[in-house]
């Protein structure tokens, strides 16, 4: 009886499982049949819409960013034979799944859990590439998988290897989900010996080739051949054949979207990019949110996000931990950028966290097409080389204006918490062993103002907290084109050194507390129309403000800020008698 009872129980269990399986197959079959018909009428948002709070408190007129919407049609890459073992190359499966969705009017390409090794992925309009939890897309380290294509890198028109993820002239595209896209950047990037431990360097140099001085590792001899000192990472070649000869050197950005409209990046991790990580170029209506953007700290040109010549964008709720600038706005370099003439404008940046990076929020240095109408708020920078970073140099041209920054918290900043440097020379903020100083002159000579002269003006910052930095604030303009109209209000700045203003015009400090471990709280050199009110500093500090330079004029200090202005304010011998007033 007992055996008979067990047999019946097992039989009923088997029948139950079979019926559930049959029912699920029927549902799947029906869904597939429905999805395979002509483009369905039903549309679905990729995810929840943009919260109203993202648009709150914006200081300029900006249209609502258009949001993506896709038909309710879905195809898994496994339908076309993709194998998630981390070894099988799935380039064709990705291509066929994307073509399928595009041909059926749009929808979702699903990347299930697994390790999906692949060559480059080329997006199409109306496609949402959705990486499910536990999925990881690993891009091939076979350089032959990537064709040489015409593109723009570091603001210059050039040839470059095809990006692992790319799209050009597309509309309504998205990459969503909680999976990971890994660019296999370690296979591409040169590495400096100074950024490795001895054990790491010994292991790395088992492959590849070294520079002549032994201080740089390259993955191949062809990669080493491409290293030239002009134009940083963009060789000054004229023909495609010249670029082909150094193809391995021409590292691609991980994601390149060019001239695309209505773009969404929502949820995934993007990591280990060969060069920059995310590079939207000349795009419009872009939402970048809930991303985890990662690169090794030693990665050459390992930027997080480079938003270049883009219009109407939202960047919120992201985390960055990268090898170069984290959130960076650009618009082309020198003549190529001026000829393009497309600024980055109408952008909201909110609720982002940056760990390592050369800069937390950055403008430049390739800003020749201009940057304007930018709101940045509620961001935290922890251990970032520079917190808020503005950089350019002679030869760029371009106008950066109308930028509002508020509610920024910074801690353990190795160099300047806030930096304006219009003599940017291309070096990282924290110098490598083989780099010299920045080369910024203490008293530069003016040159004629031309279309190549960059201009930064009308920048407001308030509610800034800095708890530990080497330098609180560095304002460095050009003698022929001063940094203009920068306002710092309600700031707490704790750093080794205080504030320095050089070749600046129209600087206002309102309710700023500077706790500097050495030197004065504020130094002003060859600057004009400076207003300081509500300045506080360390109790018992001797010299608080130092004013220098024969070109300095109209510096207004508030007498209420000083117990003894005669001893706390130091005036240089070359200063005009009327240059400073204390009232």
């Amino acid at each position: 009886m007992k055996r008979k009872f067990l047999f019946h129980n097992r039989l009923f269990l088997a029948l139950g499982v079979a019926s559930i399986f049959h029912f699920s197959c029927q549902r799947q079959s029906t869904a597939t049949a429905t999805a395979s018909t002509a483009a369905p009428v039903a549309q679905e948002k990729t995810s929840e819409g943009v919260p109203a709070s993202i648009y709150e408190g914006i200081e300029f007129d900006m249209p609502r960013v258009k949001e993506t919407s896709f038909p309710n049609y879905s195809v898994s890459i496994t339908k076309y034979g993709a194998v998630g073992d981390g070894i099988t190359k799935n380039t064709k499966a990705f291509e066929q799944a994307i073509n399928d969705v595009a041909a059926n009017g749009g929808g979702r390409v699903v990347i299930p859990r697994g390790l999906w090794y692949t060559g480059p992925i080329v997006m199409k309009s109306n496609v949402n590439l959705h990486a499910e939890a536990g999925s990881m897309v690993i891009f091939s380290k076979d350089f032959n998988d990537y064709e040489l294509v015409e593109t723009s890198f570091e603001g210059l028109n050039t040839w470059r290897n095809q990006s692992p993820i790319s799209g050009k002239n597309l509309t309504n595209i998205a990459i969503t989900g909680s999976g990971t896209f890994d660019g296999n950047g370690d296979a591409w990037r040169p590495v400096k010996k100074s950024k490795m431990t001895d054990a790491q360097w010994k292991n790395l140099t088992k492959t590849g080739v070294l520079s002549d001085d032994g201080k740089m590792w390259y993955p191949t001899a062809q990669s080493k051949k491409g290293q030239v000192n002009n134009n940083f990472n963009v060789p000054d070649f004229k023909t495609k054949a010249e670029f082909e000869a150094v193809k391995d050197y021409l590292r691609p950005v991980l994601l390149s979207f060019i001239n695309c409209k209505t773009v969404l990046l929502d949820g995934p991790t993007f990591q280990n990019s060969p060069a920059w990580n995310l590079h939207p170029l000349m795009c419009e209506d872009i939402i970048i949110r809930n991303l985890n953007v990662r690169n090794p700290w030693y990665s050459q040109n390992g930027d997080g996000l480079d938003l270049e010549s883009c219009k109407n964008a939202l960047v919120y709720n992201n985390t960055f931990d990268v090898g170069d600038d984290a959130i960076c706005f650009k618009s082309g370099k020198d003549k190529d950028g001026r000829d393009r003439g497309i600024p980055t404008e109408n952008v909201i940046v909110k609720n982002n966290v940056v760990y390592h990076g050369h800069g937390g929020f950055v403008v430049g240095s390739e800003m020749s097409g201009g940057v304007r109408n930018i709101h940045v708020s509620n961001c935290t920078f922890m251990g970032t080389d520079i917190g808020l970073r503005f950089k350019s140099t002679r030869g760029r041209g371009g106008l950066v204006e109308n930028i509002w920054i508020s509610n920024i918290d910074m801690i353990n900043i190795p160099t300047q918490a806030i930096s304006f440097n219009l003599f940017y020379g291309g070096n990282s903020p924290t110098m490598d062993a083989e780099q010299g100083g920045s080369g910024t002159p203490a008293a530069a000579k003016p040159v004629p103002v031309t279309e190549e002269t960059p201009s930064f003006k009308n920048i407001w910052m308030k509610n800034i907290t800095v708890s530990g930095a080497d330098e609180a604030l560095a304002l460095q303009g050009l003698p022929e084109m001063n940094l203009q109209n920068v306002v710092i209000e309600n700031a707490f700045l704790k750093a080794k050194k205080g504030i320095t203003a050089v070749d600046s015009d129209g600087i206002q400090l309102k309710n700023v507390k500077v706790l500097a471990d050495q030197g004065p709280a504020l130094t002003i050199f060859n600057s004009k129309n400076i207003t300081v009110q509500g300045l506080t500093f360390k109790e018992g500090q001797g010299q608080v403000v130092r004013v220098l330079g024969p070109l300095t004029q109209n510096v207004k200090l508030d007498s209420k800020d000083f117990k003894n202005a005669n001893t706390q304010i130091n005036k240089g011998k070359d200063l005009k008698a009327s240059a400073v007033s204390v009232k």
Side-chain angles (χ1 to χ4, degrees), residues 441-443 474-478 482-483 500-504 523-527:
L475 303 161
Q476 172 74 69
L478 296 171
N482 285 184
L483 176 64
T500 302
V502 179
D503 291 326
S504 301
T523 300
I524 299 168
F525 179 79
N526 278 354
S527 297

Side-chain angles (χ1 to χ4, degrees), residues 120-121 137-139 146 153 161-167 175 180-185 188-189 251-257 269-279 292-295 301 303-304:
I121 295 172
V137 178
I138 307 164
F139 288 99
Y146 304 87
F153 183 63
N161 279 294
Q162 176 184 3
S163 288
I165 306 172
S166 65
I175 301 179
T180 298
F181 294 88
D182 188 294
N184 228 326
W188 294 85
R189 292 187 301 263
R251 295 172 287 135
V253 300
L254 172 56
L255 180 147
S256 171
F257 286 160
T269 293
F270 293 92
Q271 66 178 30
N272 199 14
S273 57
W276 297 346
N277 205 311
L278 308 175
H279 185 207
N292 185 21
V293 182
R294 303 173 63 242
N295 269 332
N301 318 109
D303 295 25

Side-chain angles (χ1 to χ4, degrees), residues 44 120 177 276 370 446 508 534:
E44 62 175 4
W276 297 346
Q508 297 182 51

Side-chain angles (χ1 to χ4, degrees), residues 81-104:
V83 179
D85 58 7
I87 299 173
T88 304
K89 193 174 288 186
N90 296 294
T91 313
K92 278 293 181 184
F94 275 98
E95 180 183 3
Q96 290 170 342
I98 289 171
N99 288 342
D100 180 332
V101 170
N104 281 280

